[in-house]
Amino acid sequence: GQMAEGQRLHPLIATQQAALQGLDGKAWRAAMAAAEADGRSDLHPLRMGACVAYADGGLVTAHQKKALEYGCSLDAVCQLAPAIEQRASLMANTARGGASCAPAVLCQADQFGVLHAPFAAARAYLCEHGWGATRVLVHDEQGVLHVTTADELLPGLPEWS
């Protein structure tokens, strides 16, 4: 399953991660570090962490909070929502808003470094609350790294006015 795929892809992923510099690389490494904070491998062995990075270098991380019923787990990206909203509010109140208050890049990684797209609730949050232009780093099943946006991950999204 997912564990075997992560182990299979790990050497390729590690090489990509070492080569990726700048904000994208920082966000990826921070998401992996956040995944390590998950101490509940007894509930599900895959550990997930997420990081949102801002153009000014600011990073915010979270890790999945697992529940016995997997569907009741709190996903890592959704846990970033309060921090994203707080930063946007703070930047708006200090008249320093604009691009600096929007997340520049989002990464959700497992303990092997494989980058996963945000899950459904997180995709909906990002797109429906104004953060759809956020760049998202993801791997496909072959371990190829792709850069997309939250909006591109949610097909059929209506035009918001």
Side-chain angles (χ1 to χ4, degrees):
Q2 289 179 323
M3 294 294 289
E5 281 299 299
Q7 291 168 342
R8 180 183 68 80
L9 291 173
H10 182 69
L12 171 65
I13 302 297
T15 301
Q16 290 174 354
Q17 190 180 52
L20 192 62
Q21 300 299 313
L23 199 55
D24 291 356
K26 288 179 185 177
W28 188 357
R29 288 184 283 282
M32 265 188 81
E36 293 304 318
D38 173 4
R40 295 304 311 260
S41 292
D42 57 321
L43 294 175
H44 184 70
L46 201 64
R47 298 188 304 270
M48 301 293 282
C51 178
V52 64
Y54 294 88
D56 66 3
L59 302 174
V60 180
T61 62
H63 70 276
Q64 181 182 38
K65 307 297 189 286
K66 294 177 187 160
L68 182 59
E69 293 182 46
Y70 191 75
C72 295
S73 297
L74 303 176
D75 99 61
V77 177
C78 282
Q79 290 184 74
L80 295 173
I84 292 169
E85 297 296 326
Q86 182 180 30
R87 182 173 174 119
S89 177
L90 176 67
M91 298 303 270
N93 290 337
T94 61
R96 292 178 33 207
S100 64
C101 75
V105 64
L106 171 75
C107 293
Q108 177 174 240
D110 63 30
Q111 71 262 37
F112 302 106
V114 177
L115 292 163
H116 298 259
F119 302 139
R123 287 192 312 266
Y125 162 73
L126 292 165
C127 295
E128 295 173 18
H129 291 270
W131 312 115
T134 302
R135 288 182 312 113
V136 180
L137 277 59
V138 297
H139 283 110
D140 65 21
E141 62 277 357
Q142 302 304 316
V144 176
L145 180 61
H146 299 274
V147 179
T148 187
T149 66
D151 280 343
E152 291 168 344
L153 293 170
L154 196 61
L157 188 65
E159 291 294 322
W160 304 107
S161 52

